Amino acid sequence: MRPDAAPSKRTFRIRRALVFGCAAVLVVVLVVVGCAIGGVFGRGGTTGGTGGASTSSSSKGIGKTGKTAGAADGAKSDKKPEDRSADTSKSAAQSGAKAGKTGKPDADNDASALDKAAGTLTDAKRAVILKKAEEAAAASGKARVDLTYCVATKGKVGDLDTFATQAYEALNDTRGWPRAGVTFTQGDAADGNCDFTLILSEARYLPEYDAGCSAEYSCRVGDDVIINWDRWRTGTAGWLKAGGTLRRYREMAVNHEVGHRLGHIDNETPCAGDGKPAALMQQQSKGLNGCTPNEWPLDSELWTQ
């Protein structure tokens, strides 16, 4: 080899080393840059992760809420059936109490409210009620009977007019005795033309009318039909518990006792079976025997003597 060739080879090797070195440096740079870029994107992912953490946090929040709700539901479901039933009954009772403050149920069971609503009937209103009763009586096909009755009180029993109003409406209701051909007109005792007298009496006076009358209930003696003041104010526990109302009890008491005046006797028609309407002449104040409260004569009771 010529002496001047060695430097050329050395130069070549140096250049080659430089090229490879630069390439290596470039590779390192690229790797570093790539890592750097990856780090940037990684940090971007972390930011997204924070959002995810927030979402996860929200999810955890929902999870806790769900867990709490589930626990609450679990607590409810852990109650015995009778406990849940008691809660339901209590809720229903509370709802009923609220409704009663403004609705019909309380008005029908409150003696003072019933008396206040009754007031005094005008002659015009009496005429309308009587006309409907007469039409029902005529349509019944039964022998027509027109009875005049007088109204009286004994003892401290409140206003006579409110009692008279409720009695007149009950007796001439088209669901009642008019279906047996009977209508009723309120007369004046001073005229002496009363077929019977309807009396609202303090309970303590009932036995004075007859030994068979009790201070616990209403009674009929001859032409005196006596309504017990205590029952007029409260009805009976069994009647109300069976679903009756005080308004209906008053109608039943008047129609039942006047039924005696028409010739009917107590318990002439027994209860027809559980859930069936009681006969009007059944002694419903003393017990319903499985029947339901009823203030109007049954079809089988539409007769008079």
Side-chain angles (χ1 to χ4, degrees), residues 75-99:
K76 290 181 181 178
S77 62
D78 284 340
K79 288 186 177 182
K80 296 179 180 179
E82 56 268 28
D83 294 335
R84 293 198 297 272
S85 178
D87 289 345
T88 302
S89 298
K90 182 178 179 182
S91 177
Q94 291 173 342
S95 298
K98 291 179 181 178

Side-chain angles (χ1 to χ4, degrees), residues 136-137 140 142-145 176-182 262 264 297 301-304:
S140 71
K142 308 288 184 179
R144 288 283 287 111
V145 178
W177 291 118
R179 293 176 59 228
V182 189
L262 298 177
H264 293 264
E301 298 175 293
L302 297 178
W303 53 268
T304 62

